[in-house]
Amino acid sequence: MFKHEKKSVKNEIERLSPWYSTIELYPGVFTSGHMLRNIALTRELIRRCEVKGLRCLDIGAMEAVATILLKRRGAADVIAVDGDNRAHKMPLLKSAYEVDFQYFGNIALHNTLDFLLNKSRLEAVGGRPYRFGFDLIVLSGVLYHVYSPVHVLATARSCLRKGGLMIIETAAVNDPGFTMQYNFTGDKYIYDWTDTWFISAPLLDYFCRFFRMEPLDCVYLPQENRGFRNLIRLGVVCRAVDSEPAADNESIMGKSTWNYDHNSIVRYDLTEGNEKEPVPYHRNTKELVLRDDIKTCDIYKTINSGSPFPVTEDRLILKLHDKC
Ligand SMILES: C[S@@+](CC[C@H](N)C(=O)[O-])C[C@H]1O[C@@H](n2cnc3c(N)ncnc32)[C@H](O)[C@@H]1O
């Protein structure tokens, strides 16, 4: 099973350092990653999706932890993209986990949609059917790094076929307002220089619905003292639908799609004709608060009526036998 000797894996880990994630690459041999707790949320939400046979996209894949788990769970095809380029690590990861996937580095988010469209078109040459639209998209740990989270959410939505699922994980604010807190508070920074906006839970809920996605489920973790109140890590699963799920008092949600720049940020037409069965998703409805009116998961009420997701240390490490 293990093509490499323990010593050569250790040497490779050293040569490819530094590592972001803690990953077992040979029995008992691990990379020295940061063991950040939020990956447990993404892993849990992947576990609740039935991914067998699906075409998946992992945006901001870093060292492909989510990508590997999707393949391990039977996804037919997974494409991982990232603005960074960790292609040099992929052969070792693929070999250790005995999975294959497509990884493309140096793809910044503003180029991602064009890149994926062109890739699909090129693959269609030679009579293969042209098919755009993923069944499942993972957008984990990305939104709080970008200058415009709304555009990035829209880019991801443009790649998702109707009935498909999007897993979003981000740093966020557990606040009832519809706001985004910038990384600078006036006298200090909350996170590091790579970080930008912390979206409030209700605003993320609103934007998911504005981009024609129904929030189905969510999990969260409080963040330790970062000098800003109510900071959380938030994981959400949404399903792509064909209109904005707006409540009666949200009549302007639909109208604001009439703005001149709307079609320049989100493209539902690209995945038209690629409708299939809704991707099955298993949620624990006892832990969810659904809206009375539109029956979607009310993200803010759900996180404030339940408990944080229980994270154990083994969920922060990708181990060779892991399937979720
Ligand atoms: C915090 S890491 C998340 C890694 C992984 N998805 C996870 O959940 O652990 C953020 C990832 O997003 C990528 N990223 C951040 N901003 C980006 C941008 N503007 N364009 C493309 N990728 C970006 C980074 O290179 C990095 O791999």
Side-chain angles (χ1 to χ4, degrees):
M1 181 178 172
F2 296 99
K3 297 179 194 106
H4 308 286
E5 294 297 320
K6 185 172 183 175
K7 193 160 174 257
S8 69
V9 174
K10 280 187 166 174
N11 288 343
E12 270 300 90
I13 289 176
E14 185 59 32
R15 188 180 72 82
L16 299 172
S17 288
W19 290 83
Y20 177 80
S21 306
T22 306
I23 305 175
E24 188 176 25
L25 288 171
Y26 188 92
V29 178
F30 298 86
T31 62
S32 50
H34 302 301
M35 298 200 38
L36 301 174
R37 289 162 78 233
N38 48 292
I39 194 64
L41 301 182
T42 306
R43 292 177 74 163
E44 173 60 17
L45 296 177
I46 290 175
R47 193 185 66 79
R48 297 179 189 183
C49 302
E50 269 187 38
V51 306
K52 201 161 191 297
L54 300 188
R55 296 185 73 221
C56 305
L57 173 65
D58 184 5
I59 300 178
M62 188 59 94
E63 286 154 0
V65 169
T67 305
I68 289 169
L69 289 172
L70 290 167
K71 279 302 287 187
R72 275 279 171 98
R73 297 179 72 73
D77 191 16
V78 189
I79 297 180
V81 289
D82 204 304
D84 194 6
N85 190 1
R86 305 213 167 194
H88 53 295
K89 295 185 174 178
M90 298 302 144
L92 184 59
L93 291 162
K94 286 181 183 180
S95 152
Y97 282 82
E98 299 184 305
V99 290
D100 198 15
F101 54 84
Q102 302 181 62
Y103 174 90
F104 301 96
N106 293 331
I107 311 292
L109 284 159
H110 60 273
N111 293 325
T112 297
L113 182 57
D114 275 350
F115 170 77
L116 294 169
L117 273 173
N118 287 332
K119 184 176 179 305
S120 288
R121 287 180 185 130
L122 286 170
E123 285 166 358
V125 172
R128 291 177 58 191
Y130 170 68
R131 197 169 73 113
F132 188 69
F134 292 87
D135 303 308
L136 187 143
I137 296 180
V138 176
L139 183 65
S140 170
V142 175
L143 285 185
Y144 65 96
H145 283 302
V146 300
Y147 296 117
S148 179
V150 178
H151 283 73
V152 169
L153 199 54
T155 294
R157 175 61 181 88
S158 302
C159 301
L160 186 65
R161 59 100 168 161
K162 201 173 86 185
L165 297 176
M166 190 184 301
I167 296 175
I168 303 160
E169 192 284 325
T170 185
V173 181
N174 182 13
D175 187 284
F178 289 72
T179 56
M180 277 201 259
Q181 168 66 46
Y182 191 62
N183 190 30
F184 187 57
T185 61
D187 59 353
K188 61 185 172 310
Y189 289 89
I190 302 172
Y191 266 22
D192 208 344
W193 63 270
T194 53
D195 307 308
T196 52
W197 296 101
F198 303 93
I199 193 167
S200 74
L203 188 59
L204 181 60
D205 188 322
Y206 189 93
F207 277 129
C208 289
R209 292 182 295 113
F210 178 70
F211 290 124
R212 299 188 182 172
M213 295 189 285
E214 276 180 359
L216 297 181
D217 198 2
C218 63
V219 284
Y220 83 101
L221 285 173
Q223 284 266 271
E224 302 74 27
N225 183 14
R226 297 273 188 151
F228 188 76
R229 68 186 158 72
N230 297 347
L231 209 60
I232 56 171
R233 295 299 296 224
L234 177 57
V236 173
V237 178
C238 296
R239 185 182 302 289
V241 290
D242 55 12
S243 60
E244 300 82 30
D248 287 346
N249 65 352
E250 293 172 332
S251 57
I252 284 186
M253 186 190 283
K255 281 188 188 162
S256 58
T257 62
W258 303 349
N259 280 327
Y260 297 120
D261 58 349
H262 179 262
N263 294 352
S264 72
I265 65 168
V266 68
R267 295 280 309 274
Y268 302 115
D269 58 309
L270 299 173
T271 57
E272 264 168 28
N274 196 9
E275 289 85 7
K276 282 173 283 167
E277 290 298 299
V279 174
Y281 183 76
H282 305 282
R283 60 185 182 175
N284 184 350
T285 39
K286 272 192 233 138
E287 291 176 3
L288 295 176
V289 180
L290 300 185
R291 290 167 178 275
D292 293 336
D293 37 23
I294 51 175
K295 305 294 177 211
T296 62
C297 166
D298 185 318
I299 297 173
Y300 178 71
K301 285 190 180 161
T302 298
I303 60 186
N304 286 287
S305 67
S307 316
F309 182 72
V311 176
T312 52
E313 194 170 281
D314 71 306
R315 300 286 71 205
L316 314 184
I317 304 170
L318 183 64
K319 299 207 183 105
L320 286 166
H321 61 259
D322 283 343
K323 288 209 163 129
C324 63

